Amino acid sequence: MLDDNSRYMQYAIREAMRAEEEGEVPIGCVIIHNGEIIGKAHNQRERLQDPTAHAEVLAITQAANHLGSWRLENTKLFVTLEPCPMCAGAIILSRIAEVYFGAYDPKAGACGTLMNLLEDKRFNHQPVVKPGLCADECGALLTNFFRRIRGQAVLGADDVFKRDN
């Protein structure tokens, strides 16, 4: 039986699968408040032709609309890939309390890989960050997606979307 955090990440993984079905990079996100999903989204950059249509940004907007407030205090965000700088900024600005991510992002990770915006004490908010939740499953989604669209073998999920700490 899955613990609550793993169960919530499974919802984010389902959102990532929806993205893949639509031809989007398979990244999904859910936001939880008092045990309830109040925001869920997947990448929609291609569909919307919007560079800001990342799963996290769309889920944050949905959660803010649900609560009627831009302050998402006492919420948890679960995302299948380490947030980029834009999404990390949105997380800080929305005051999300906890961030759980699956796979590390070697090209744009802003939660410890390239930089660590979420734990930077110079900002007025620092969420708790929990990396690597369901990392193998999240990394495999991305690796398999890029392998298919490139039509060639690429490094496996163990090499690309995971990091030893």
Side-chain angles (χ1 to χ4, degrees):
M1 183 157 184
L2 297 175
D3 63 30
D4 283 346
N5 292 337
S6 296
R7 186 168 48 89
Y8 295 139
M9 184 61 83
Q10 290 302 312
Y11 289 115
I13 289 168
R14 284 188 212 135
E15 282 296 313
M17 292 172 161
R18 289 184 62 202
E20 185 171 20
E21 290 168 5
E22 296 171 10
E24 300 277 354
V25 176
I27 301 169
C29 179
V30 297
I31 298 176
I32 309 300
H33 183 255
N34 294 332
E36 174 189 359
I37 295 174
I38 62 167
K40 65 178 183 173
H42 55 274
N43 269 9
Q44 296 184 42
R45 290 189 314 171
E46 297 300 327
R47 182 174 144 235
L48 299 175
Q49 288 300 298
D50 179 352
T52 68
H54 288 203
E56 299 97 309
V57 171
L58 297 172
I60 287 169
T61 299
Q62 193 177 85
N65 287 335
H66 178 87
L67 293 178
S69 174
W70 62 268
R71 287 182 173 91
L72 301 181
E73 297 161 335
N74 302 312
T75 62
K76 297 179 180 183
L77 181 143
F78 294 81
V79 63
T80 56
L81 182 65
E82 179 181 4
C84 71
M86 176 185 68
C87 293
I91 290 165
I92 292 166
L93 292 173
S94 62
R95 311 293 196 268
I96 290 170
E98 298 176 32
V99 175
Y100 298 79
F101 70 84
Y104 285 92
D105 186 349
K107 296 185 186 263
C111 300
T113 299
L114 296 180
M115 63 193 75
N116 196 341
L117 294 178
L118 294 186
E119 294 178 335
D120 190 320
K121 301 291 185 212
R122 294 173 292 179
F123 292 112
N124 64 344
H125 176 73
Q126 295 87 37
V128 172
V129 178
K130 303 284 186 174
L133 183 62
C134 305
D136 291 338
E137 190 173 357
C138 294
L141 277 170
L142 290 155
T143 298
N144 293 336
F145 173 80
F146 286 115
R147 184 176 289 144
R148 278 191 303 277
I149 65 168
R150 290 184 182 131
Q152 61 187 18
V154 295
L155 293 174
D158 289 341
D159 298 324
V160 178
F161 295 106
K162 281 179 56 179
R163 182 177 75 185
D164 294 327
N165 287 334

